mmCIF file of all heavy atoms in Angstrom:
data_model
loop_
_atom_site.group_PDB
_atom_site.id
_atom_site.type_symbol
_atom_site.label_atom_id
_atom_site.label_comp_id
_atom_site.label_asym_id
_atom_site.label_seq_id
_atom_site.Cartn_x
_atom_site.Cartn_y
_atom_site.Cartn_z
ATOM 1 N N SER A 257 150.366 167.168 170.880
ATOM 2 C CA SER A 257 150.824 168.144 169.888
ATOM 3 C C SER A 257 151.707 167.474 168.839
ATOM 4 O O SER A 257 151.621 167.774 167.642
ATOM 5 C CB SER A 257 151.595 169.270 170.592
ATOM 6 O OG SER A 257 152.153 170.155 169.655
ATOM 7 N N THR A 258 152.560 166.547 169.288
ATOM 8 C CA THR A 258 153.427 165.815 168.365
ATOM 9 C C THR A 258 152.608 165.013 167.363
ATOM 10 O O THR A 258 152.877 165.030 166.150
ATOM 11 C CB THR A 258 154.358 164.872 169.149
ATOM 12 O OG1 THR A 258 155.187 165.644 170.002
ATOM 13 C CG2 THR A 258 155.227 164.062 168.203
ATOM 14 N N ILE A 259 151.569 164.324 167.855
ATOM 15 C CA ILE A 259 150.731 163.501 166.987
ATOM 16 C C ILE A 259 150.024 164.363 165.957
ATOM 17 O O ILE A 259 149.995 164.046 164.752
ATOM 18 C CB ILE A 259 149.704 162.711 167.826
ATOM 19 C CG1 ILE A 259 150.416 161.697 168.719
ATOM 20 C CG2 ILE A 259 148.695 162.006 166.923
ATOM 21 C CD1 ILE A 259 151.153 160.628 167.957
ATOM 22 N N THR A 260 149.439 165.468 166.387
ATOM 23 C CA THR A 260 148.682 166.344 165.480
ATOM 24 C C THR A 260 149.577 166.893 164.375
ATOM 25 O O THR A 260 149.216 166.875 163.197
ATOM 26 C CB THR A 260 148.053 167.512 166.266
ATOM 27 O OG1 THR A 260 147.280 166.991 167.343
ATOM 28 C CG2 THR A 260 147.166 168.346 165.361
ATOM 29 N N LYS A 261 150.750 167.367 164.761
ATOM 30 C CA LYS A 261 151.664 167.951 163.760
ATOM 31 C C LYS A 261 152.209 166.873 162.820
ATOM 32 O O LYS A 261 152.413 167.129 161.634
ATOM 33 C CB LYS A 261 152.809 168.674 164.467
ATOM 34 C CG LYS A 261 152.358 169.950 165.199
ATOM 35 C CD LYS A 261 153.523 170.619 165.895
ATOM 36 C CE LYS A 261 153.104 171.957 166.501
ATOM 37 N NZ LYS A 261 152.070 171.816 167.539
ATOM 38 N N THR A 262 152.439 165.681 163.345
ATOM 39 C CA THR A 262 152.910 164.579 162.494
ATOM 40 C C THR A 262 151.866 164.214 161.452
ATOM 41 O O THR A 262 152.200 163.962 160.277
ATOM 42 C CB THR A 262 153.251 163.348 163.354
ATOM 43 O OG1 THR A 262 154.273 163.703 164.293
ATOM 44 C CG2 THR A 262 153.741 162.203 162.487
ATOM 45 N N VAL A 263 150.607 164.204 161.851
ATOM 46 C CA VAL A 263 149.524 163.926 160.899
ATOM 47 C C VAL A 263 149.499 164.987 159.802
ATOM 48 O O VAL A 263 149.355 164.666 158.607
ATOM 49 C CB VAL A 263 148.163 163.852 161.630
ATOM 50 C CG1 VAL A 263 147.010 163.825 160.619
ATOM 51 C CG2 VAL A 263 148.111 162.631 162.526
ATOM 52 N N CYS A 264 149.656 166.244 160.178
ATOM 53 C CA CYS A 264 149.683 167.335 159.186
ATOM 54 C C CYS A 264 150.864 167.173 158.227
ATOM 55 O O CYS A 264 150.741 167.447 157.035
ATOM 56 C CB CYS A 264 149.776 168.687 159.899
ATOM 57 S SG CYS A 264 148.269 169.174 160.741
ATOM 58 N N LEU A 265 151.999 166.732 158.753
ATOM 59 C CA LEU A 265 153.175 166.542 157.907
ATOM 60 C C LEU A 265 152.973 165.406 156.908
ATOM 61 O O LEU A 265 153.348 165.513 155.738
ATOM 62 C CB LEU A 265 154.401 166.238 158.778
ATOM 63 C CG LEU A 265 155.005 167.400 159.574
ATOM 64 C CD1 LEU A 265 156.058 166.876 160.538
ATOM 65 C CD2 LEU A 265 155.596 168.447 158.641
ATOM 66 N N LEU A 266 152.372 164.319 157.369
ATOM 67 C CA LEU A 266 152.295 163.112 156.541
ATOM 68 C C LEU A 266 151.085 163.072 155.626
ATOM 69 O O LEU A 266 151.078 162.313 154.647
ATOM 70 C CB LEU A 266 152.302 161.872 157.443
ATOM 71 C CG LEU A 266 153.581 161.630 158.251
ATOM 72 C CD1 LEU A 266 153.429 160.391 159.122
ATOM 73 C CD2 LEU A 266 154.787 161.489 157.336
ATOM 74 N N PHE A 267 150.055 163.866 155.932
ATOM 75 C CA PHE A 267 148.826 163.794 155.130
ATOM 76 C C PHE A 267 149.059 164.078 153.646
ATOM 77 O O PHE A 267 148.563 163.337 152.785
ATOM 78 C CB PHE A 267 147.760 164.734 155.691
ATOM 79 C CG PHE A 267 146.506 164.745 154.865
ATOM 80 C CD1 PHE A 267 145.615 163.673 154.920
ATOM 81 C CD2 PHE A 267 146.232 165.795 153.998
ATOM 82 C CE1 PHE A 267 144.463 163.670 154.143
ATOM 83 C CE2 PHE A 267 145.099 165.805 153.219
ATOM 84 C CZ PHE A 267 144.201 164.737 153.287
ATOM 85 N N PRO A 268 149.803 165.150 153.252
ATOM 86 C CA PRO A 268 150.018 165.388 151.816
ATOM 87 C C PRO A 268 150.746 164.236 151.126
ATOM 88 O O PRO A 268 150.433 163.900 149.981
ATOM 89 C CB PRO A 268 150.854 166.680 151.784
ATOM 90 C CG PRO A 268 150.515 167.372 153.056
ATOM 91 C CD PRO A 268 150.348 166.272 154.059
ATOM 92 N N LEU A 269 151.719 163.623 151.817
ATOM 93 C CA LEU A 269 152.413 162.477 151.228
ATOM 94 C C LEU A 269 151.468 161.293 151.064
ATOM 95 O O LEU A 269 151.527 160.569 150.059
ATOM 96 C CB LEU A 269 153.604 162.078 152.105
ATOM 97 C CG LEU A 269 154.836 162.987 152.029
ATOM 98 C CD1 LEU A 269 155.821 162.645 153.135
ATOM 99 C CD2 LEU A 269 155.506 162.861 150.672
ATOM 100 N N PHE A 270 150.591 161.109 152.052
ATOM 101 C CA PHE A 270 149.585 160.048 151.952
ATOM 102 C C PHE A 270 148.653 160.314 150.773
ATOM 103 O O PHE A 270 148.336 159.398 149.997
ATOM 104 C CB PHE A 270 148.801 159.964 153.261
ATOM 105 C CG PHE A 270 147.640 159.011 153.210
ATOM 106 C CD1 PHE A 270 147.844 157.638 153.269
ATOM 107 C CD2 PHE A 270 146.341 159.494 153.090
ATOM 108 C CE1 PHE A 270 146.758 156.758 153.216
ATOM 109 C CE2 PHE A 270 145.261 158.625 153.035
ATOM 110 C CZ PHE A 270 145.472 157.250 153.096
ATOM 111 N N ALA A 271 148.219 161.572 150.614
ATOM 112 C CA ALA A 271 147.327 161.928 149.509
ATOM 113 C C ALA A 271 148.003 161.693 148.161
ATOM 114 O O ALA A 271 147.375 161.196 147.213
ATOM 115 C CB ALA A 271 146.891 163.391 149.641
ATOM 116 N N LEU A 272 149.290 162.044 148.068
ATOM 117 C CA LEU A 272 150.032 161.803 146.829
ATOM 118 C C LEU A 272 150.113 160.312 146.533
ATOM 119 O O LEU A 272 149.934 159.891 145.379
ATOM 120 C CB LEU A 272 151.444 162.389 146.934
ATOM 121 C CG LEU A 272 152.387 162.081 145.767
ATOM 122 C CD1 LEU A 272 151.913 162.773 144.495
ATOM 123 C CD2 LEU A 272 153.825 162.485 146.101
ATOM 124 N N SER A 273 150.377 159.512 147.553
ATOM 125 C CA SER A 273 150.465 158.060 147.362
ATOM 126 C C SER A 273 149.145 157.494 146.859
ATOM 127 O O SER A 273 149.116 156.665 145.941
ATOM 128 C CB SER A 273 150.858 157.378 148.679
ATOM 129 O OG SER A 273 152.117 157.830 149.126
ATOM 130 N N VAL A 274 148.038 157.945 147.440
ATOM 131 C CA VAL A 274 146.716 157.474 147.014
ATOM 132 C C VAL A 274 146.444 157.884 145.578
ATOM 133 O O VAL A 274 145.982 157.075 144.751
ATOM 134 C CB VAL A 274 145.613 158.012 147.954
ATOM 135 C CG1 VAL A 274 144.223 157.706 147.388
ATOM 136 C CG2 VAL A 274 145.755 157.407 149.344
ATOM 137 N N ALA A 275 146.751 159.148 145.249
ATOM 138 C CA ALA A 275 146.529 159.635 143.884
ATOM 139 C C ALA A 275 147.371 158.845 142.882
ATOM 140 O O ALA A 275 146.900 158.497 141.784
ATOM 141 C CB ALA A 275 146.864 161.123 143.800
ATOM 142 N N SER A 276 148.611 158.552 143.244
ATOM 143 C CA SER A 276 149.492 157.788 142.352
ATOM 144 C C SER A 276 148.974 156.371 142.151
ATOM 145 O O SER A 276 148.980 155.845 141.027
ATOM 146 C CB SER A 276 150.915 157.742 142.928
ATOM 147 O OG SER A 276 151.473 159.033 143.009
ATOM 148 N N MET A 277 148.502 155.750 143.228
ATOM 149 C CA MET A 277 147.977 154.391 143.111
ATOM 150 C C MET A 277 146.695 154.352 142.286
ATOM 151 O O MET A 277 146.480 153.424 141.504
ATOM 152 C CB MET A 277 147.764 153.790 144.503
ATOM 153 C CG MET A 277 149.069 153.417 145.198
ATOM 154 S SD MET A 277 148.847 152.398 146.688
ATOM 155 C CE MET A 277 148.138 153.596 147.795
ATOM 156 N N LEU A 278 145.852 155.370 142.438
ATOM 157 C CA LEU A 278 144.628 155.435 141.631
ATOM 158 C C LEU A 278 144.965 155.614 140.157
ATOM 159 O O LEU A 278 144.331 155.004 139.284
ATOM 160 C CB LEU A 278 143.741 156.575 142.120
ATOM 161 C CG LEU A 278 143.035 156.357 143.469
ATOM 162 C CD1 LEU A 278 142.310 157.627 143.900
ATOM 163 C CD2 LEU A 278 142.063 155.183 143.376
ATOM 164 N N TYR A 279 145.964 156.458 139.871
ATOM 165 C CA TYR A 279 146.412 156.628 138.483
ATOM 166 C C TYR A 279 146.938 155.314 137.923
ATOM 167 O O TYR A 279 146.577 154.911 136.808
ATOM 168 C CB TYR A 279 147.486 157.714 138.417
ATOM 169 C CG TYR A 279 148.170 157.801 137.067
ATOM 170 C CD1 TYR A 279 147.562 158.420 135.981
ATOM 171 C CD2 TYR A 279 149.431 157.226 136.871
ATOM 172 C CE1 TYR A 279 148.183 158.482 134.742
ATOM 173 C CE2 TYR A 279 150.058 157.283 135.643
ATOM 174 C CZ TYR A 279 149.423 157.916 134.582
ATOM 175 O OH TYR A 279 150.048 157.958 133.349
ATOM 176 N N ASN A 280 147.778 154.637 138.688
ATOM 177 C CA ASN A 280 148.335 153.360 138.230
ATOM 178 C C ASN A 280 147.241 152.321 138.000
ATOM 179 O O ASN A 280 147.286 151.553 137.035
ATOM 180 C CB ASN A 280 149.345 152.829 139.251
ATOM 181 C CG ASN A 280 150.610 153.660 139.308
ATOM 182 O OD1 ASN A 280 150.938 154.360 138.353
ATOM 183 N ND2 ASN A 280 151.317 153.591 140.417
ATOM 184 N N LEU A 281 146.263 152.296 138.906
ATOM 185 C CA LEU A 281 145.152 151.343 138.766
ATOM 186 C C LEU A 281 144.356 151.618 137.498
ATOM 187 O O LEU A 281 144.008 150.691 136.752
ATOM 188 C CB LEU A 281 144.244 151.435 139.996
ATOM 189 C CG LEU A 281 143.009 150.518 140.006
ATOM 190 C CD1 LEU A 281 143.426 149.052 140.016
ATOM 191 C CD2 LEU A 281 142.125 150.834 141.214
ATOM 192 N N GLN A 282 144.092 152.894 137.228
ATOM 193 C CA GLN A 282 143.306 153.270 136.062
ATOM 194 C C GLN A 282 144.054 152.992 134.761
ATOM 195 O O GLN A 282 143.481 152.503 133.788
ATOM 196 C CB GLN A 282 142.954 154.765 136.151
ATOM 197 C CG GLN A 282 142.180 155.319 134.964
ATOM 198 C CD GLN A 282 140.761 154.805 134.896
ATOM 199 O OE1 GLN A 282 140.182 154.436 135.914
ATOM 200 N NE2 GLN A 282 140.190 154.759 133.700
ATOM 201 N N VAL A 283 145.351 153.274 134.752
ATOM 202 C CA VAL A 283 146.119 153.214 133.494
ATOM 203 C C VAL A 283 146.791 151.856 133.293
ATOM 204 O O VAL A 283 146.798 151.322 132.178
ATOM 205 C CB VAL A 283 147.176 154.343 133.473
ATOM 206 C CG1 VAL A 283 148.047 154.247 132.223
ATOM 207 C CG2 VAL A 283 146.487 155.708 133.519
#
Side-chain angles (χ1 to χ4, degrees):
S257 175
T258 298
I259 294 296
T260 306
K261 291 179 174 62
T262 300
V263 169
C264 288
L265 287 171
L266 295 179
F267 177 75
L269 285 169
F270 173 76
L272 174 67
S273 299
V274 171
S276 297
M277 287 192 289
L278 288 174
Y279 171 78
N280 291 338
L281 179 64
Q282 177 70 26
V283 176

